[in-house]
Amino acid sequence: MSEYEALRRRHVADAMALTPRLIDQVDWPAGQLAAHRTRQLRELVRTATERSPWYRRRLADVDIGRLDETTLPELPALTKAELMEHFDDIVTDGRLSLAQLERHLRTVETGSYLFGRYTAIMSSGSTGQRGVFVYDWDSWAVFWLSMFRGVLRVKLADPVLAERPAVLAAVTAAHFSHATAAMARTFSGAHLTSIRFPVTLPTEEIVAGLNQAQPDLMLAYPSVLYVLAREAMAGRLHVAPRRILVGAEPLLPEIRAAAEQVWGGKVINIWGTSEGGGTAVGCDQGGTHISEDQLIVEPVDLSGQPVAPGERSAKVYLTNLYNHALPLIRYEITDEVTVLPEPCPCGSAYRRIADVQGRLDDVFVYQGRRVHPHLFRCELGRETGVVEYQVRQTSLGARIAVRCSAPVNADILGDRIAAALARSGLERPQVTVEVVDRLERPGGPAKLKRFIPLDANSALSRQAPAARGPVAVVSAGR
Ligand SMILES: [Zn+2]
């Protein structure tokens, strides 16, 4: 057994040991939850001010003993740009640095922990700006459990699944630097056997793989789930998952309806973030509950003032209570959320949110062949110098504008993306990459439209996917 595999198995065992407690916490009453949050918040700020030079300066005047959710908004917010700029002073282990994490992310395919305990992931996030995040041993397990404790509870209560590992098919990110793929690799084991189907594969290969795997649980982007539901309706996909988890894109009512028509009422919506893990996770009653034992989420308007329940925020400030390796205290995420004022029928004390509105990425369709935006996200995200980007579909490929913090070889990057498009089935794709000083933002600073389809009507767009008749699937062109 490799050194990595031995460590990984120990990590799985440690995560399993944490599972009962994290499942129990979901049932906590409001008072117990609030006391826990105050305790965790003070511990986080104590660690940050003791071990992070940047936070020591920034929060020098904070009286930790009186810090709670009512006084937290007095602390300054943290943007992604600030985090990336001061990263080496923000991490609480002096051995960690952004440059080293970037190097680690480039070699992550072989499977490794940094210093035997750290996991790094990256994200392009909703503004298209690249971010790098690092989790220590326990917090990476909590990150995973924050997404999966709900289905683990279902699994443990299911007479058939209680006897064997549940098979989880993840039709998600292609590269281990992304959270979903990294989680699937680390925690494939005792309770869940993860099988990954990179979303960049042609649909017919994904369908064939799913038919063979016969997953108990399925994890997919909503836009991909919609295609899979159509494949099932067309008689090509034959699976019977007990639960379907979706995330990273808005779950449109049409997509939920199509999936529930095919597989029954089992779609669990997850608002996942690289900064917090399962930031809000669906319950069986259709509510999506904020993981309030792990995170403090403050919905705010553009100027950072709190918005009332029932109103949609412009962004949120997220405080991650469990990851002390990279303290994120009032970290700005430009996702729009609406906290619902009414309690959920399930009785949970955890606040719930309406569907997250940010992060809608348009699928590009080339002569009936669908290309998920993840293909571009993955290749562009792996390029260290790229800060943000905008991808315009062309008839034969794409025209991409990138803003960079370090020199980037645009030709090589373009060739790599063209090769990825060719692997997904396009013939002789053409991709041009142009380095620019700034990107167009007609809707304001937070509203970069990252993916611009050639013809918005030909893609699965947010308006009415069901109204346009069958969505073209890749096999249609053959
Ligand atoms: Zn609920």
Side-chain angles (χ1 to χ4, degrees):
M1 194 190 308
S2 69
E3 189 188 350
Y4 168 73
E5 182 58 17
L7 269 176
R8 191 193 73 82
R9 290 191 188 187
R10 185 155 66 80
H11 214 167
V12 170
D14 289 349
M16 292 300 103
L18 282 175
T19 304
R21 179 164 67 78
L22 264 83
I23 288 178
D24 284 350
Q25 285 179 198
V26 173
D27 294 331
W28 272 353
Q32 192 175 4
L33 183 59
H36 170 83
R37 283 152 68 83
T38 299
R39 228 170 22 242
Q40 297 288 102
L41 176 63
R42 289 176 187 177
E43 252 176 61
L44 171 73
V45 174
R46 197 167 288 122
T47 304
T49 50
E50 281 172 10
R51 294 201 231 139
S52 148
W54 189 80
Y55 274 118
R56 192 175 307 133
R57 289 191 297 273
R58 180 147 156 137
L59 303 181
D61 300 331
V62 173
D63 179 358
I64 295 174
R66 63 174 278 277
L67 187 62
D68 60 20
E69 283 175 65
T70 59
T71 53
L72 177 64
E74 295 167 15
L75 270 48
L78 170 65
T79 64
K80 188 188 271 183
E82 278 177 305
L83 173 68
M84 290 298 111
E85 188 184 340
H86 302 287
F87 195 95
D88 296 359
D89 275 346
I90 291 177
V91 285
T92 56
D93 183 335
R95 295 175 298 172
L96 295 171
S97 73
L98 183 58
Q100 174 197 45
L101 289 165
E102 295 276 18
R103 275 197 304 279
H104 180 68
L105 282 167
R106 281 199 290 275
T107 61
V108 81
E109 264 120 307
T110 49
S112 57
Y113 289 92
L114 203 55
F115 302 122
R117 57 179 280 115
Y118 291 108
T119 298
I121 54 171
M122 46 151 268
S123 101
S124 52
S126 45
T127 57
Q129 190 185 358
R130 179 190 169 80
V132 174
F133 305 95
V134 61
Y135 289 85
D136 62 21
W137 189 262
D138 284 345
S139 62
W140 184 236
V142 173
F143 186 102
W144 174 67
L145 283 165
S146 67
M147 299 252 189
F148 288 101
R149 61 180 162 178
V151 294
L152 287 174
R153 170 182 250 179
V154 168
K155 185 222 174 271
L156 294 169
D158 184 307
V160 175
L161 291 182
E163 300 301 315
R164 61 168 173 84
V167 176
L168 169 76
V171 190
T172 52
H175 193 260
F176 288 123
S177 56
H178 285 266
T180 43
M183 276 189 293
R185 186 182 59 193
T186 308
F187 296 111
S188 188
H191 279 347
L192 299 176
T193 301
S194 295
I195 305 175
R196 296 189 324 110
F197 298 95
V199 71
T200 44
L201 287 178
T203 301
E204 57 266 41
E205 279 184 41
I206 294 174
V207 167
L210 290 172
N211 281 336
Q212 195 185 358
Q214 287 300 306
D216 304 302
L217 306 164
M218 218 157 67
L219 171 68
Y221 300 127
S223 57
V224 173
L225 181 64
Y226 188 68
V227 173
L228 295 178
R230 306 296 300 211
E231 289 288 292
M233 287 176 199
R236 289 185 288 267
L237 176 62
H238 310 276
V239 294
R242 286 170 168 77
R243 291 288 185 288
I244 298 165
L245 295 94
V246 297
E249 297 167 354
L251 174 58
L252 306 180
E254 295 84 354
I255 296 174
R256 188 191 275 272
E260 289 182 351
Q261 185 189 333
V262 176
W263 292 297
K266 301 164 185 166
V267 179
I268 304 286
N269 196 8
I270 297 180
W271 172 30
T273 62
S274 305
E275 297 87 349
T279 305
V281 179
C283 69
D284 271 353
Q285 306 277 330
T288 306
H289 296 273
I290 299 173
S291 300
E292 295 194 283
D293 55 339
Q294 318 294 354
L295 308 166
I296 295 176
V297 171
E298 302 171 64
V300 294
D301 63 19
L302 270 180
S303 61
Q305 294 305 305
V307 300
E311 283 174 37
R312 187 190 293 178
S313 74
K315 54 188 180 182
V316 301
Y317 293 143
L318 178 135
T319 299
N320 180 322
L321 296 171
Y322 65 90
N323 183 19
H324 289 200
L326 178 69
L328 297 178
I329 299 168
R330 306 196 80 222
Y331 178 82
E332 180 185 289
I333 296 179
T334 51
D335 281 355
E336 300 171 352
V337 304
T338 307
V339 171
L340 297 173
E342 311 83 19
C344 184
C346 77
S348 170
Y350 290 58
R351 289 182 302 166
R352 64 186 178 128
I353 58 169
D355 284 345
V356 172
Q357 296 299 312
R359 303 192 175 198
L360 185 83
D361 290 328
D362 286 295
V363 173
F364 292 176
V365 182
Y366 299 91
Q367 296 172 344
R369 187 167 286 274
R370 304 174 77 261
V371 170
H372 197 275
H374 181 76
L375 182 145
F376 299 99
R377 280 207 299 260
C378 181
E379 295 298 336
L380 289 159
R382 287 164 68 184
E383 192 71 41
T384 313
V386 171
V387 176
E388 58 180 4
Y389 56 83
Q390 190 166 48
V391 183
R392 280 174 199 276
Q393 185 185 4
T394 59
S395 57
L396 295 173
R399 205 170 74 238
I400 301 170
V402 295
R403 188 168 72 77
C404 302
S405 61
V408 165
N409 188 320
D411 292 339
I412 290 176
L413 179 58
D415 288 349
R416 222 174 60 215
I417 294 168
L421 283 170
R423 281 196 299 277
S424 76
L426 261 68
E427 279 179 35
R428 287 189 291 281
Q430 292 179 11
V431 175
T432 57
V433 175
E434 189 192 359
V435 178
V436 299
D437 291 336
R438 63 189 184 91
L439 296 166
E440 292 168 33
R441 283 183 155 78
K447 302 292 176 191
L448 176 68
K449 182 145 176 59
R450 283 186 295 160
F451 298 95
I452 303 170
L454 193 58
D455 171 7
N457 294 324
S458 69
L460 174 65
S461 74
R462 67 192 311 166
Q463 278 77 31
R468 282 191 304 277
V471 162
V473 293
V474 293
S475 55
R478 295 203 160 170

